[in-house]
Amino acid sequence: MCELKRILRLTLISCLLFSSNLAYSGVKEYPILKVDYGPSTTFKTGAVGKINIPIDELTNAKIAVLDGLVIIFDDGSKLSMETLTDIALGFQGVDMRTWPKYLLGIQNAGPEPEGYKSELQQSKKHIIDTEVSAYEIRTFPTQQGIGYWAIGPKKSVIVFTSSVIED
């Protein structure tokens, strides 16, 4: 339960939170094991964002729906989920499954528009490298695709992608 609590409280998913390849040794595959933590509730945003949170963790939490889901836990830590699409970001037709790869520095070149790549490289510098200070990047399988996890000392960013939904 403590590990889940730690993960939930250190995880902040947001399009604004986006570390340097120099700060960690490379992408690590990290299988996520399902563990029964007792009664939980499911939150879903968009077609891909889905998370189960134990009911005990939600005691005294504040939950809001803004541009996505925001949960402020009793200790002040936050979890936010937002669905991003190619149209919402102004890059209609771009395969959004490349978004976390550019954001996290896993991929630096490809057929995507230069503006798209440039925006994500800037987000990486300002958010992943500076704000999150990621010391490790992990990938893990999800029910619908691949998850990407930038782990920092106080913050994390997790991005979920779908193997069938491009936009």
Side-chain angles (χ1 to χ4, degrees):
M1 186 70 160
C2 288
E3 182 63 16
L4 176 63
K5 211 175 201 180
R6 182 183 160 282
I7 291 169
L8 286 173
R9 292 200 171 142
L10 291 178
T11 303
L12 178 57
I13 302 171
S14 168
C15 72
L16 297 176
L17 289 182
F18 302 103
S19 206
S20 166
N21 283 335
L22 300 175
Y24 50 86
S25 61
V27 178
K28 295 181 181 179
E29 286 190 37
Y30 188 80
I32 301 292
L33 304 174
K34 288 194 173 201
V35 177
D36 182 8
Y37 288 102
S40 66
T41 190
T42 301
F43 294 94
K44 185 172 182 178
T45 63
V48 180
K50 179 179 164 187
I51 188 167
N52 294 328
I53 299 177
I55 299 292
D56 291 347
E57 296 300 321
L58 296 171
T59 302
N60 298 319
K62 295 178 177 120
I63 301 171
V65 178
L66 303 168
D67 288 334
L69 174 70
V70 177
I71 301 172
I72 303 172
F73 294 95
D74 191 36
D75 68 354
S77 60
K78 300 169 189 77
L79 170 77
S80 65
M81 294 177 64
E82 183 176 352
T83 299
L84 301 175
T85 65
D86 59 341
I87 294 171
L89 293 177
F91 295 101
Q92 186 170 359
V94 168
D95 185 342
M96 291 298 288
R97 294 173 294 193
T98 64
W99 190 83
K101 294 176 184 179
Y102 284 107
L103 176 70
L104 301 173
I106 297 168
Q107 179 177 333
N108 295 312
E112 295 77 21
E114 288 304 316
Y116 172 80
K117 294 185 283 192
S118 177
E119 274 189 33
L120 288 168
Q121 289 165 352
Q122 288 301 312
S123 293
K124 178 188 177 301
K125 287 179 189 173
H126 296 292
I127 308 300
I128 297 298
D129 294 348
T130 304
E131 195 167 329
V132 174
S133 298
Y135 57 83
E136 186 171 291
I137 302 295
R138 295 179 179 179
T139 62
F140 55 93
T142 67
Q143 288 180 337
Q144 294 185 10
I146 298 173
Y148 297 85
W149 188 2
I151 304 168
K154 294 187 178 186
K155 295 182 179 182
S156 291
V157 171
I158 298 177
V159 179
F160 298 109
T161 62
S162 170
S163 58
V164 292
I165 302 172
E166 294 180 4
D167 59 351

